[in-house]
Amino acid sequence: MKVLFASSEIFPYAKSGGLADVADALPHILQEYVEISRVMPLYGFMDKDGFDYEKSYKISLGGIDYKINLYTKQSGSMRTYFIEAPLLSATKNLYCDKDGDYANNDLRFGIFCMALVELASMLNIAILHLNDWHTALCALFIHERKMKIKTVFTIHNLAYQGIFGKNSLERLGIDKKYFTMDGLEFYEKVNFLKAAIAYSDRITTVSPSYAKEILTKEFGCGLEGFLAHHKKKLTGVLNGINDTVFDPAKDAILPFTYDEKTLDNKYKNKADFIKRSKLKDPRRPLFVMIARLVEQKGIDLLIDSIKMLLEKKINLFLLGEGSAEFSKKLARFSNEHDNFEFFEGYDEELSHRIYAAADFLLMPSKFEPCGLNQMIAMRYGTIPIVHAVGGLKDSVHEDKKACGEGIVFKKQNKKEFLSAVERALKLKKEAKKFKATIEFNMGCDFSFRPSALEYLRLYKSLA
Ligand code: ADP
C-alpha cells in the first residue's frame, strides 16, 4: 500500500503553524508501517540547491497548460517531492503578504492539486492523504477522473476553507455541475474545503473533541450541516508532536539540556532567558505564550486581562506575529510594564528557549482544533493553562491523573482565565506538587505513535 502525504507546508522546508509540524512528524512515524512519501509546493523563498531535479511534466487547468518541475529530497528514509509551478512558486510567502491573502491563491493551489494528482498517478499511489483546503481540490479531480486512488482528508482548522469568487470555476476548469449545495458551492462562492468533504473517502480532524465540535453551529464555521451530512466518514485523531525535534534532553538550541531528573538545568535556562530579556527577577513565575496573533488564540482575552495579570508577581513573555492591531496593543503594554515583554515575529529557535525557560504556558484559545504548543510545553516541563476546548480538552487534564496535567478553565472569560492563573500560582507555591506535575508530564508520550496507528487502520480500511 503506497501512501502519498500532501501538505502546503512541511517543517523544516516551510512553516506557518502546526500543520507543518504534523506533516513532518506523522509521516515519519507512519513510515514504520507503510510505504509513504510526501509532497509540497516549492515556494519562491525556498532554496532548491539542496533538492534533486526529477522531471518536468504538463498539466492543464481551465484550458491553459502549466509546466511542472518536480524536485525531490531524500532525507534519511523519507522522500519528499516538491512541485515547482508558475504562480504557485512565484510568491515570497506561503499564502499572503502584508496586504492580505494572494489574490490568485485559487489558481496557485488549483495548480498544486492537479500537479499532485498527476504525481500520485505516476507513483501508483493507493492512498492520497490530503491536508486542509490547499489540497482539497485533489478529491474532486480524482472523483471527476474516476481514478482508483483513495483519499483521506484531514481538517486541521475548519476556519480556513479556501473560499473564492464564482469565476474560480472557469479559471480552474471545474464543471458547473459541481457548483451545487452538495458540491463546492457556498453562498454563491466556491469553497475548496467543501469539495474535499464531499468527495474524499474519509475525513479526519485533529482531535476527538474537535470532531464533535465542528458539527455544532458554534464551531462549524457554516459547514456544520454539511459535515453532519458526511458524518459517517468523519473521525477525530489527536495530533502528536515530533519528540525528536522537541526534546529538552538533546535540544541543541538550549543553553542547558535537561530531562525530568536534571530539572536544575531547566532553571538555568530560565535564569539565562530572563538575563537576555528585559524581564527582571528570575525567581518570579514565568508565564509565556507562543502564538499566531489571531482571535482564535484568545489574544483579545489576554489583552483584556493583561493589567490584572501583570499586577500579580509574575513575568510574562509573548512571542507571536499576526494582526497589526493586536501587535500595537501588546507593544504598548510591553513598553509600559517591566514584567511583560512582547517579541513580535516568528522565531523557531527563540520558541525552543521559551518552552524550556517557562513555568507556565498560556493557551486561552477561543477554539483549538488540537494545538501543539501545550504538548511541546509539557515535554519541556512547562505547565499549560488552557481553555477546555477541542484538542486542549483532550490533551490537558486538571482533575484526573491522565497524561498530561495542567490547569484547565471551562469558560473563555476574564474571570475564569484569571482564576486559572491564580491556581497556577498556588501550584507553584506547593513546590513538591509542582515538581511532581512537571516530572509526570515529562514522562508522558506526546508523540504521534498512538495516533499513527489510527491513521494506519483508516488507510487499511480503504485499501
Ligand atoms: P496553529 O497551527 O493554529 O498556529 P498549533 O498549536 O497547532 O497552532 O501549532 C503552532 C506551532 O507553531 C507550534 O510549533 C508553535 O511553537 C509554533 N509557533 C507559533 N507561533 C510561533 C512564533 N511566533 N515563533 C515560533 N514558533 C511559533
Side-chain angles (χ1 to χ4, degrees):
M1 181 172 50
K2 270 181 154 181
V3 181
L4 181 62
F5 191 94
S7 174
S8 58
E9 47 186 277
I10 302 177
F11 179 83
Y13 306 112
K15 171 171 168 177
S16 79
L19 172 60
D21 290 335
V22 172
D24 169 38
L26 175 59
H28 274 105
I29 302 280
L30 282 169
Q31 203 177 33
E32 293 170 20
Y33 309 98
V34 279
E35 194 179 338
I36 189 166
S37 52
R38 307 181 296 187
V39 57
M40 68 171 286
L42 203 163
Y43 295 106
F45 59 84
M46 286 163 58
D47 180 8
K48 58 185 180 197
D49 278 359
F51 305 155
D52 297 319
Y53 169 76
E54 180 102 356
K55 64 157 101 170
S56 296
Y57 56 96
K58 248 192 217 152
I59 58 152
S60 183
L61 219 60
I64 298 176
D65 287 344
Y66 298 94
K67 184 185 171 206
I68 307 299
N69 298 321
L70 187 67
Y71 289 81
T72 62
K73 166 109 182 157
Q74 188 73 33
S75 174
S77 49
M78 180 58 73
R79 194 172 187 75
T80 307
Y81 293 90
F82 298 90
I83 287 175
E84 186 183 51
L87 309 181
L88 175 67
S89 302
T91 57
K92 286 215 175 85
N93 297 309
L94 288 91
Y95 319 119
C96 55
D97 58 21
K98 60 175 180 23
D99 299 323
D101 288 346
Y102 295 126
N104 61 358
N105 272 348
D106 55 343
L107 206 45
R108 291 180 67 224
F109 289 100
I111 292 169
F112 177 53
C113 285
M114 190 55 91
L116 86 83
V117 165
E118 210 53 58
L119 175 67
S121 163
M122 289 188 285
L123 295 175
N124 232 341
I125 292 298
I127 310 271
L128 181 56
H129 190 152
L130 306 169
N131 295 278
D132 276 353
W133 72 263
H134 324 88
T135 56
L137 285 186
C138 293
L140 174 67
F141 294 154
I142 286 170
H143 171 85
E144 165 76 3
R145 290 162 65 174
K146 298 188 174 59
M147 296 167 85
K148 283 210 182 96
I149 300 169
K150 300 285 185 198
T151 46
V152 174
F153 180 68
T154 299
I155 300 170
H156 294 261
N157 193 336
L158 191 62
Y160 302 96
Q161 300 178 4
I163 298 174
F164 303 96
K166 194 177 167 185
N167 61 356
S168 278
L169 285 183
E170 212 172 299
R171 278 146 71 83
L172 297 164
I174 295 175
D175 196 312
K176 281 202 177 68
K177 74 179 182 203
Y178 293 110
F179 195 66
T180 63
M181 264 170 66
D182 301 333
L184 41 67
E185 192 259 334
F186 189 66
Y187 299 102
E188 286 293 304
K189 297 203 159 168
V190 172
N191 184 323
F192 279 25
L193 199 93
K194 270 193 86 190
I197 296 171
Y199 303 112
S200 308
D201 295 294
R202 294 282 188 278
I203 307 162
T204 73
T205 187
V206 290
S207 69
S209 285
Y210 194 58
K212 287 187 201 137
E213 288 169 355
I214 56 178
L215 300 176
T216 67
K217 196 165 185 318
E218 189 182 354
F219 297 100
C221 303
L223 289 181
E224 57 278 8
F226 196 60
L227 279 162
H229 183 69
H230 291 279
K231 198 172 141 192
K232 272 201 187 135
K233 296 197 283 189
L234 175 67
T235 47
V237 184
L238 192 70
N239 276 342
I241 58 168
N242 184 332
D243 56 6
T244 311
V245 172
F246 295 107
D247 180 1
K250 297 201 181 101
D251 191 333
I253 295 165
L254 302 186
F256 306 94
T257 53
Y258 61 96
D259 59 23
E260 60 264 51
K261 291 187 204 80
T262 53
L263 279 177
D264 279 356
N265 275 358
K266 177 170 170 67
Y267 298 106
K268 286 189 192 159
N269 283 305
K270 181 177 174 183
D272 178 79
F273 181 79
I274 299 284
K275 208 162 85 191
R276 293 198 213 189
S277 75
K278 71 156 212 186
L279 302 170
K280 297 188 182 79
D281 193 356
R283 282 164 308 176
R284 284 188 170 202
L286 176 60
F287 289 72
V288 300
M289 194 162 166
I290 301 170
R292 289 181 294 119
L293 302 181
V294 292
E295 263 193 40
Q296 178 199 338
K297 301 291 175 183
I299 305 292
D300 40 358
L301 177 58
L302 178 84
I303 289 175
D304 239 24
S305 323
I306 206 159
K307 279 197 178 141
M308 290 179 78
L309 202 59
L310 295 175
E311 276 165 17
K312 302 177 194 295
K313 282 207 160 63
I314 65 162
N315 278 321
L316 177 63
F317 192 99
L318 193 154
L319 166 65
E321 69 175 359
S323 141
E325 194 192 325
F326 285 146
S327 301
K328 231 166 87 188
K329 286 187 183 158
L330 291 165
R332 207 186 70 223
F333 283 120
S334 182
N335 286 334
E336 286 169 2
H337 294 84
D338 63 3
N339 60 338
F340 173 46
E341 181 164 348
F342 167 49
F343 188 99
E344 187 177 6
Y346 189 93
D347 190 327
E348 196 75 30
E349 294 204 354
L350 178 58
S351 78
H352 284 235
R353 289 198 287 111
I354 296 172
Y355 284 121
D359 295 300
F360 298 100
L361 174 95
L362 299 174
M363 282 190 89
S365 307
K366 260 197 187 80
F367 68 94
E368 196 59 79
C370 179
L372 299 176
N373 301 29
Q374 77 280 13
M375 293 189 262
I376 303 171
M378 288 189 276
R379 180 132 171 91
Y380 281 73
T382 295
I383 297 175
I385 300 173
V386 306
H387 173 217
V389 74
L392 297 176
K393 190 158 127 188
D394 295 339
S395 57
V396 185
H397 316 276
E398 183 160 350
D399 304 323
K400 53 178 180 183
K401 277 264 165 222
C403 272
E405 278 188 37
I407 312 279
V408 183
F409 56 100
K410 294 229 163 68
K411 288 208 176 104
Q412 205 244 16
N413 61 35
K414 194 165 152 181
K415 187 167 163 244
E416 292 222 3
F417 179 44
L418 289 169
S419 143
V421 169
E422 276 305 323
R423 293 205 293 287
L425 291 173
K426 184 166 169 273
L427 176 64
K428 177 83 173 56
K429 279 189 193 133
E430 297 170 47
K432 251 189 179 166
K433 194 170 164 199
F434 179 65
K435 187 162 176 265
T437 308
I438 290 172
E439 287 169 349
F440 176 71
N441 283 343
M442 289 183 77
C444 290
D445 179 8
F446 295 113
S447 79
F448 250 113
R449 219 157 282 276
S451 301
L453 295 177
E454 288 190 51
Y455 282 109
L456 194 66
R457 266 196 295 278
L458 209 66
Y459 295 164
K460 283 189 177 158
S461 74
L462 290 172

